[in-house]
Amino acid sequence: MQNQIVFITGASSGIGAACAKIFAHAGAKLILAARRWERLQQLANSLDIPSEKIHLLQLDVCDRLAVESAIANLPSSWKNIDILINNAGLSRGLSKLQEGDFQDWEEMIDTNIKGLLYLTRYVVPGMVERNHGHVINIGSIAGHQTYPGGNVYCGTKAAVKAISEGLKQDLLGTPVRVTSVDPGMVETEFSQVRFHGDTERAKKVYAGVNPLTPDDVADVIFFCATRASHVNINEVILMPVDQASATLVNRQL
Ligand code: NDP
Ligand code: 8X3
C-alpha cells in the first residue's frame, strides 16, 4: 500500500473518513474529496502523515463537469490513481413512494448513481491504460433487500450492485479489479442526513443496538484492497451481529 494513490469520495465523514485513516496508516497517498472543505481540512490535520501525501478536493460528485475537471487537473504526481473508493452517498427521507419528495429523489439518484458513474468513467480509463487499478464501490444491504419507505434509496443501491457487476464484466481481460462492499447498519451521519438534521429521530435508528462502526467497514474495504493482485473480491455483505436483515434488528431497550 506504500505510496499507492487512493481516491476516496465522501471522505469528510463516516465510512470515507475511516477509510482515509486506515489507508493513511498503511502508507498510501490520499486524494480526499467531499463538498465540506473545512471537514476535509480537519481530517487531513488529524491524519498522522506528511502533508505531501494528502491532496484535498472540494468536489460535488453530482456535478459532472466538476468531476471531469477535477480528474483532468490533478497534479501530475497525483494522476495515477491506484484505488478509487466510490463512497459518497446519502439517503433522504423514508416516505412512502406515493408521497415521496422529488428533491430527495433527485439528490439520491444524482449522488449515489450518477456521481459514482462520473468518477468511474473519468478514472477507470487511466487504470486500464496503466494495467493497474481497483474500483471499490460502497453499496448497501439496501441494494439486496428493499424495506418500507426505502424505495428510491434501495433503488439507487440496487443500481450500484448492477453497476459493479457490469463494470467487472466490462473490465474482463484487464487487471483492473472491482469490488462492492455492502454494509448493513453503520452509525455515521447517515441517518441525520436521511432525516434532514432531525438528530433525535436519527439516534433512534441505533437505539439499543450495537451497530457497525465506520472503522469496521473501512477494515473490510482495506482487506479487499490488499489481496494478491490476481484475487478479486466481488462483493461483501457485512452487518452487525445485532442485525439479521435490512429490517430485522435485535434491540435491547
Ligand atoms: P455520512 O453521511 O457520514 O457520509 C457521507 C459522505 O458522503 C460525506 O462525506 C459527504 O460529504 C459525502 N457526500 C454526500 N453527497 C456528496 C456529494 N454530492 N459530493 C461529494 N460528497 C458527497 O454517511 P456514511 O459514511 O454512512 O455513508 C457513506 C456511504 O455508505 C454512502 O454511500 C452510504 O449510502 C453507504 N452506506 C451507509 C450505511 C450506514 O448505515 N451508515 C450502510 C450501508 C451503506 P459532504 O457532505 O461533505 O459532501
Ligand atoms: C444504509 C443501510 O438499511 O439504512 O444503506 O438502508 S439502510
Side-chain angles (χ1 to χ4, degrees):
M1 194 49 61
Q2 199 58 238
N3 290 325
Q4 296 251 318
I5 299 181
V6 183
F7 190 134
I8 305 171
T9 67
S12 60
S13 172
I15 296 167
C19 286
K21 284 182 216 144
I22 196 166
F23 281 93
H25 189 68
K29 289 175 69 181
L30 303 174
I31 303 175
L32 305 176
R35 293 165 302 179
R36 287 173 295 174
W37 181 248
E38 280 175 17
R39 291 281 294 261
L40 286 178
Q41 284 181 315
Q42 281 165 13
L43 173 66
N45 292 336
S46 74
L47 295 173
D48 195 16
I49 57 172
S51 57
E52 60 271 17
K53 290 186 89 169
I54 307 179
H55 185 75
L56 301 185
L57 278 180
Q58 186 169 30
L59 181 67
D60 180 347
V61 298
C62 305
D63 183 341
R64 186 177 70 76
L65 295 180
V67 174
E68 181 181 29
S69 152
I71 304 297
N73 292 312
L74 282 171
S76 55
S77 58
W78 287 95
K79 276 194 187 301
N80 296 348
I81 297 162
D82 296 292
I83 301 173
L84 168 64
I85 304 181
N86 272 320
N87 163 75
L90 79 183
S91 67
R92 285 295 201 190
L94 198 58
S95 308
K96 291 179 189 295
L97 187 84
Q98 65 273 24
E99 295 162 6
D101 181 282
F102 292 107
Q103 201 185 324
D104 284 351
W105 293 359
E106 307 283 3
E107 214 179 330
M108 289 187 278
I109 292 166
D110 287 352
T111 312
N112 302 357
I113 305 179
K114 291 165 74 178
L116 177 143
L117 283 171
Y118 298 154
L119 263 300
T120 304
R121 180 65 182 85
Y122 288 120
V123 170
V124 169
M127 291 179 167
V128 172
E129 223 173 86
R130 293 187 298 278
N131 272 315
H132 181 74
H134 194 164
V135 178
I136 303 179
N137 291 332
I138 309 307
S140 171
I141 186 65
H144 300 261
Q145 300 167 3
T146 308
Y147 50 85
N151 45 67
V152 174
Y153 176 72
C154 296
T156 66
K157 290 300 184 178
V160 172
K161 181 177 186 296
I163 289 164
S164 299
E165 289 169 9
L167 182 64
K168 176 80 179 86
Q169 293 167 15
D170 293 341
L171 286 168
L172 192 64
T174 80
V176 180
R177 300 190 280 184
V178 183
T179 299
S180 182
V181 174
D182 302 350
M185 185 185 279
V186 193
E187 190 163 9
T188 63
E189 293 173 20
F190 176 85
S191 294
Q192 280 185 50
V193 173
R194 165 168 262 173
F195 299 126
H196 293 278
D198 183 341
T199 308
E200 283 314 302
R201 193 171 174 198
K203 266 195 212 151
K204 283 189 192 144
V205 174
Y206 312 103
V209 183
N210 190 7
L212 295 176
T213 65
D215 289 335
D216 295 329
V217 183
D219 186 44
V220 170
I221 294 168
F222 186 76
F223 176 84
C224 295
T226 49
R227 296 310 84 209
S229 61
H230 67 288
V231 177
N232 192 92
I233 299 189
N234 294 27
E235 183 179 272
V236 181
I237 300 179
L238 67 154
M239 55 177 75
V241 172
D242 271 348
Q243 184 176 24
S245 76
T247 50
L248 196 55
V249 172
N250 175 49
R251 287 186 200 276
Q252 306 281 342
L253 291 170

